[in-house]
Amino acid sequence: GAALSELRRFREASDAFDAALRLNARVAPAHVGKGNALCELESPAKALVAYDAALRIAPDLADGWLGRGHALTDLARYDDALSAYEKALQIKPDLEAAYVGRGNVYLQTKRLAEALAQYEKALSLRPNAAIPRFSRGNVLYRMKRYDEALADYDAAMSLDAGLADAWLGAANVHYKAGHFEDAASRYDKALSLKPELADAWLGRGNVFNEVGRYDEALADYDRALTIKPDLAAAWLNRGNVFYALK
């Protein structure tokens, strides 16, 4: 399961962890591994069940609390997520991913300065880690510090070329600057790495919309909405395309 997760084959990884747990259900790291795979597959409620199973077996397992924080963040249970990250840091104070997780909660709740401070803390612990670098790019983008955001996205991609969300972030900066060709190539790369990334379908649809390729824009918006039916921007921009075609 761990090897398959490294290869980003998360469905197969989840199945492998299930097979291991059928042999021995008391292996807490296997529950955590399953939870991690389920989070990547955007199934946070199922992931939370796996993390809770791990923590019943090993209450001091920092990675279990970390994963629990991630799942709770995805479920928009932000106070509970912060409590889980705090517990992880009590057990393992140098766990940079927990600082990233707290930053993500603050980013989701629009506490941008606090988010930035958490990402900076994570980078102080692991300066060459791709995830904190990409995450700092996200908050800098929200702060409209686009050049700094792009530098962080590019740095994250150089550290981990398979990080789809960093390609998405860079694409968004180029789109914002009107560099549509550069944006499109980065959306394409993000989608080649993570086809279920709804925001990348939305972004590429926006590029097609801007350059008058309306049929392709509609196809991308429809794909985004298949993955994420409540993606309001895709519904709005889809409507704008139909208006332009009248």
Side-chain angles (χ1 to χ4, degrees), residues 55-154:
L55 291 167
R56 283 194 296 273
I57 298 163
D60 290 331
L61 186 61
D63 285 344
W65 289 104
L66 174 68
R68 192 172 199 276
H70 294 341
L72 289 165
T73 300
D74 288 345
L75 291 166
R77 292 171 54 183
Y78 297 123
D79 289 341
D80 291 336
L82 288 173
S83 296
Y85 291 131
E86 182 62 30
K87 182 67 174 179
L89 288 167
Q90 288 171 5
I91 298 165
K92 192 175 181 181
D94 62 348
L95 186 59
E96 111 279 342
Y99 289 103
V100 172
R102 286 207 304 204
N104 292 342
V105 171
Y106 293 139
L107 183 64
Q108 289 293 327
T109 54
K110 301 181 181 179
R111 295 159 65 177
L112 301 185
E114 290 168 277
L116 183 59
Q118 295 298 310
Y119 298 140
E120 296 281 9
K121 176 63 176 179
L123 285 167
S124 75
L125 293 168
R126 284 187 63 200
N128 293 321
I131 295 294
R133 186 77 54 183
F134 144 74
S135 300
R136 190 175 68 176
N138 285 344
V139 74
L140 290 168
Y141 181 88
R142 292 277 290 273
M143 290 176 161
K144 301 184 179 181
R145 293 161 60 177
Y146 298 121
D147 290 344
E148 293 169 89
L150 184 59
D152 270 353
Y153 291 137
D154 286 344

Side-chain angles (χ1 to χ4, degrees), residues 10-74:
F10 297 114
R11 180 67 61 191
E12 294 167 85
S14 178
D15 291 342
F17 286 120
D18 274 337
L21 289 165
R22 283 194 293 271
L23 296 172
N24 185 353
R26 298 289 300 170
V27 181
H31 288 286
V32 171
K34 178 182 176 180
N36 293 344
L38 289 167
C39 269
E40 292 288 346
L41 293 167
E42 300 189 7
S43 297
K46 292 180 181 179
L48 184 60
V49 173
Y51 294 129
D52 285 346
L55 291 167
R56 283 194 296 273
I57 298 163
D60 290 331
L61 186 61
D63 285 344
W65 289 104
L66 174 68
R68 192 172 199 276
H70 294 341
L72 289 165
T73 300
D74 288 345

